Amino acid sequence: MKSFLKWGISAVFATIAAPALAHEDATGTPAELAQLAGIESARAACYIDTTSWDAATPDYCSAIVWWQRQATAVFSVIGLDQASGRYQITYLDNKCSRVWYTTQEGWLCSRTIGPFRDYTQRVQVTDLQTGQSVILSAIAQYETGA
């Protein structure tokens, strides 16, 4: 009985410790870690541009923009090192009013949206080294609070 308990507890500790050990082996800057992850770590993200500090959230974003008939949704791709030049980011469906690049966020797409409705933006991410490509999407929505 004691040996079974000892073995069972050891297995539990090994299971708990394994992710921590794997994390400790991954060293480098966040950009290097994102590069190691590959295209499968890419996520479409967005935020509603407000007077506050805005940060992109994966898959869906929303906000209350008081007394405004329109708002600006900003779409991006997170989880990749876009500065490496390895990935091609293409916003689809000709819905972006502006597309630009920043060193902090990569390729961005902005578009004007109205309240109380979902706006989907699709983006194609292509790994130029492997040829692998995925299409991702994020949904933006805001309320006027009125």
Side-chain angles (χ1 to χ4, degrees):
M1 177 77 167
K2 286 183 181 179
S3 63
F4 176 75
L5 261 177
K6 184 178 177 182
W7 179 85
I9 291 172
S10 296
V12 169
F13 284 138
T15 304
I16 293 170
L21 293 174
H23 178 71
E24 289 174 11
D25 289 341
T27 58
T29 66
E32 289 169 340
L33 295 175
Q35 184 66 26
L36 291 173
I39 197 168
E40 59 278 349
S41 67
R43 301 278 298 271
C46 62
Y47 63 86
I48 306 301
D49 194 13
T50 67
T51 57
S52 300
W53 177 259
D54 303 308
T57 56
D59 306 320
Y60 180 82
C61 60
S62 66
I64 295 177
V65 184
W66 293 95
W67 314 111
Q68 298 297 314
R69 290 185 296 175
Q70 297 179 334
T72 300
V74 179
F75 296 90
S76 62
V77 175
I78 59 174
L80 295 176
D81 177 15
Q82 293 185 39
S84 70
R86 178 176 175 173
Y87 302 99
Q88 178 180 338
I89 308 298
T90 307
Y91 289 97
L92 304 174
D93 306 321
N94 291 325
K95 294 182 178 180
C96 301
S97 56
R98 181 175 173 221
V99 176
W100 73 102
Y101 181 83
T102 72
T103 55
Q104 295 82 19
E105 298 176 281
W107 286 102
L108 302 171
C109 156
S110 66
R111 53 191 276 207
T112 302
I113 63 173
F116 305 106
R117 188 173 150 218
D118 289 347
Y119 292 84
T120 301
Q121 179 61 57
R122 297 183 320 136
V123 59
Q124 183 173 9
V125 179
T126 304
D127 184 330
L128 299 174
Q129 288 183 359
T130 66
Q132 183 181 6
S133 183
V134 295
I135 295 178
L136 310 168
S137 64
I139 299 170
Q141 179 273 120
Y142 88 99
E143 298 180 13
T144 62

